[in-house]
Amino acid sequence: MTTLARQYPLGTDTAELERLHFQHQLWSDAAHALWLRAGIQPGSRVLDVGCGPGAASFDLAHLVGKAGHVRGVDASKSFVDFVEAEARARGLEQLTAQVQDVQSLDVGGGFDAAYARWVLCFVPDPGAVVRGVARALKSGGVFCVHDYFNYLTMTAAPRRESYTRVIELTARSWRDNGGDPDVVGRLPGLLEAQGFALEHLEVHQRVARRGDPMWTWAETWWRSYTPKLKKMGYLDEPGERAFHRDFDAMSRERDFLVLPPVFEVMARKR
């Protein structure tokens, strides 16, 4: 496993693989709408930056068809191995994947589009990712991004002190490890510096109530991440117990969750 893969705070085990695929099901509507806006179609060549276990890559492969090509890049060998094995099993000859640090992209050129979802917020140098994507895209190619800004606005409603504290600790843990949960605030400038013209910017703000899939998305995230916060020393045992006690109470009561804003960006290479 590469250094960058080790830095990914949720790890790359089977549980995280399954969580990422579940997550994609909940956010695939936004992804597909952005891909269509970008003009990704049969025959397109697409780079999936930080592809993880390929949840988006498989959909993109079906979208571009046999005449197109999707290249997935990820720092985790176990994720890349999964993508390659699944692509063979599904007969998706148009999908390939390789192990590579997305901050040092070396995939050749001529791609029509690139996609990155929840990647830039975790890497120490998002500008390096943008530079690599610029090299990979042909003139007129598009870079599509879904990522975070204003992350700390995520909250329980009514507000709960334990929830607010864990959100703050999560953001701090990302920053301490080189990430940035507000990375989209810097993204327009990073894109401009690499010759991109920003064409589309909007935000997806979603809420979750008990019993719906978005609530489960939040729950699976916290069940996975709070033990890691404790292991890293950000959260102590009483704090973790208090958080999960409150979350369980929220699940039984009338609370709802305001989820972190997911910003949607599309920029075109000049």
Side-chain angles (χ1 to χ4, degrees), residues 3-269:
T3 300
L4 184 60
R6 288 195 297 271
Q7 288 176 342
Y8 177 59
L10 286 171
T12 57
D13 57 14
T14 300
E16 177 61 3
L17 183 152
E18 293 173 351
R19 191 194 72 83
L20 289 171
H21 278 270
F22 173 69
Q23 176 176 264
H24 176 67
Q25 295 305 310
L26 300 182
W27 287 93
S28 62
D29 57 339
H32 279 267
L34 182 57
W35 299 341
L36 292 176
R37 178 185 286 272
I40 298 174
Q41 59 188 314
S44 294
R45 298 185 69 238
V46 182
L47 179 65
D48 189 359
V49 181
C51 65
S57 302
F58 298 129
D59 281 5
L60 283 166
H62 285 291
L63 183 57
V64 305
K66 298 295 184 183
H69 180 66
V70 175
R71 173 79 59 82
V73 175
D74 198 88
S76 167
K77 185 177 185 302
S78 62
F79 280 171
V80 167
D81 288 346
F82 178 84
V83 173
E84 291 183 322
E86 280 292 302
R88 289 192 297 271
R90 301 183 190 193
L92 297 174
E93 300 170 0
Q94 65 271 34
L95 172 58
T96 60
Q98 66 185 81
V99 178
Q100 197 171 117
D101 184 338
V102 296
Q103 299 168 110
S104 305
L105 283 171
D106 183 14
V107 293
F111 285 91
D112 300 294
Y115 181 58
R117 179 173 59 191
W118 295 309
V119 174
L120 300 178
C121 64
F122 289 120
V123 299
D125 191 354
V129 182
V130 176
R131 285 195 299 274
V133 170
R135 290 193 300 269
L137 290 176
K138 67 182 185 182
S139 179
V142 291
F143 186 19
C144 299
V145 176
H146 281 121
D147 219 315
Y148 291 129
F149 176 71
N150 216 14
Y151 187 85
L152 290 177
T153 58
M154 183 180 184
T155 187
R159 298 186 191 278
R160 292 177 182 257
E161 182 180 350
S162 65
Y163 202 90
T164 300
R165 180 167 179 262
V166 166
I167 292 166
E168 292 172 348
L169 293 175
T170 296
R172 186 188 307 171
S173 73
W174 289 7
R175 294 185 192 281
D176 288 350
N177 286 280
D180 182 2
D182 289 335
V183 70
V184 172
R186 295 190 282 147
L187 187 53
L190 296 174
L191 290 164
E192 178 70 26
Q194 298 303 320
F196 285 95
L198 183 63
E199 292 190 352
H200 171 70
L201 175 65
E202 69 175 62
V203 61
H204 296 275
Q205 180 65 76
R206 299 186 178 183
V207 298
R209 299 175 63 197
R210 58 181 180 174
D212 68 37
M214 277 294 174
W215 184 281
T216 304
W217 180 56
E219 183 174 22
T220 57
W221 163 262
W222 292 124
R223 298 294 182 193
S224 177
Y225 199 61
T226 52
K228 294 177 174 63
L229 282 174
K230 185 174 66 175
K231 183 177 181 181
M232 291 185 291
Y234 292 94
L235 186 65
D236 59 19
E237 183 74 31
E240 185 184 29
R241 285 200 306 269
F243 174 82
H244 287 292
R245 184 171 59 248
D246 278 354
F247 197 95
D248 290 342
M250 290 158 56
S251 301
R252 295 190 298 269
E253 298 173 12
R254 298 181 183 275
D255 298 42
F256 65 90
L257 299 175
V258 179
L259 299 176
V262 176
F263 282 76
E264 180 173 290
V265 179
M266 188 182 83
R268 191 173 302 275
K269 181 180 175 180

